[in-house]
Amino acid sequence: MSIGEKVLTLKQDFDEVYEAGKQAKENDFWEVFQDGGKTQNYYYAFAYGRFNDSNYNPKYDIRCSSGTTPSRYMFYQSGITDTKVGIYANANNLYQAFNAATQLETIRLLNVYETTTFDTAFNNCTSLKNITFEGVIGLDIDIHWSPLTTESIVNIIEHLSTTASGKTLTLNTKAVNSMVFPYTSAESGITYNSWNELIATRNNWTISKASA
């Protein structure tokens, strides 16, 4: 083996050890940060761009305790594009939870209660396309800044409470208009008739549109 080959081998071995060390250090960080999955207060946890896709790698789902603060401002002005794990908001106030997270594209899972509030939770989420709700949405929700996919819009409507009254869901005008086709069939999106049938299942809600 030549000197050059030896140097290359040593560098490769070093790089492997270095990367393994980095991974172990990151794993230790998230283990402590999330207390082995027991952390329940994420107030401002990922806010103000401290985290981005390169350093945001939670090990556990985000599970908030009940109360008014544990889930507030969680991702306020965050730099991530994908939450990567499920978020269990409990019966919490999601006040500004994702506000101004302009790069956020995907919320993998958002588990809510009928009493969960969404005041300014999604303001200025201008890149958000994918969101999957679990549970029941029982209070006003305004997500009109987001160019949601057909699947996401349908998912939200299907999780609106069937018993709530006087509540409003506000969606992005362009997102809704681009998914609804005035034909009997469509390659993507849903037909106009299917849309009307869908919103009729939640006729106890006002489903409105607004431009971002």
Side-chain angles (χ1 to χ4, degrees):
M1 180 181 290
S2 68
I3 293 296
E5 290 173 329
K6 288 181 179 179
V7 171
L8 179 59
T9 299
L10 286 171
K11 182 180 184 307
Q12 290 172 339
D13 290 343
F14 173 82
D15 288 344
E16 289 176 4
V17 171
Y18 177 74
E19 288 302 320
K22 278 178 59 181
Q23 185 62 44
K25 186 175 181 179
E26 182 179 39
N27 184 72
D28 289 345
F29 168 81
W30 286 103
E31 189 69 31
V32 173
F33 189 86
Q34 293 189 283
D35 192 18
K38 293 182 289 185
T39 296
Q40 293 187 320
N41 190 339
Y42 284 89
Y43 184 62
Y44 277 109
F46 311 111
Y48 293 122
R50 292 191 294 265
F51 289 91
N52 53 47
D53 286 347
S54 65
N55 63 5
Y56 173 79
N57 294 293
K59 288 185 64 178
Y60 305 97
D61 286 336
I62 295 169
R63 296 181 179 273
C64 300
S65 60
S66 60
T68 58
T69 60
S71 54
R72 296 177 70 174
Y73 298 100
M74 278 189 297
F75 294 93
Y76 179 74
Q77 293 186 358
S78 178
I80 69 167
T81 64
D82 187 335
T83 60
K84 296 183 179 179
V85 295
I87 299 171
Y88 293 78
N90 209 320
N92 271 330
N93 181 345
L94 282 172
Y95 180 73
Q96 298 201 32
F98 306 97
N99 192 332
T102 57
Q103 298 179 64
L104 181 63
E105 298 177 1
T106 300
I107 297 175
R108 296 289 183 96
L109 174 70
L110 185 56
N111 180 284
V112 298
Y113 283 35
E114 195 160 2
T115 54
T116 302
T117 61
F118 301 94
D119 185 25
T120 63
F122 303 103
N123 283 31
N124 300 306
C125 287
T126 52
S127 299
L128 183 61
K129 298 176 182 177
N130 310 295
I131 186 169
T132 300
F133 274 91
E134 185 178 86
V136 179
I137 300 169
L139 296 172
D140 294 331
I141 177 169
D142 185 352
I143 196 167
H144 83 267
W145 289 269
S146 304
L148 297 175
T149 63
T150 297
E151 293 77 10
S152 295
I153 292 174
V154 171
N155 171 268
I156 292 173
I157 293 173
E158 289 179 339
H159 286 83
L160 297 177
S161 168
T162 58
T163 58
S165 62
K167 304 304 176 185
T168 300
L169 163 65
T170 307
L171 298 166
N172 179 274
T173 299
K174 187 175 180 179
V176 173
N177 289 348
S178 65
M179 68 172 263
V180 178
F181 293 80
Y183 310 113
T184 56
S185 63
E187 292 183 3
S188 62
I190 62 176
T191 66
Y192 184 75
N193 288 341
S194 296
W195 170 253
N196 285 333
E197 290 171 2
L198 175 64
I199 61 177
T201 66
R202 298 298 187 274
N203 56 16
N204 55 315
W205 281 74
T206 297
I207 299 178
S208 64
K209 297 181 291 183
S211 298

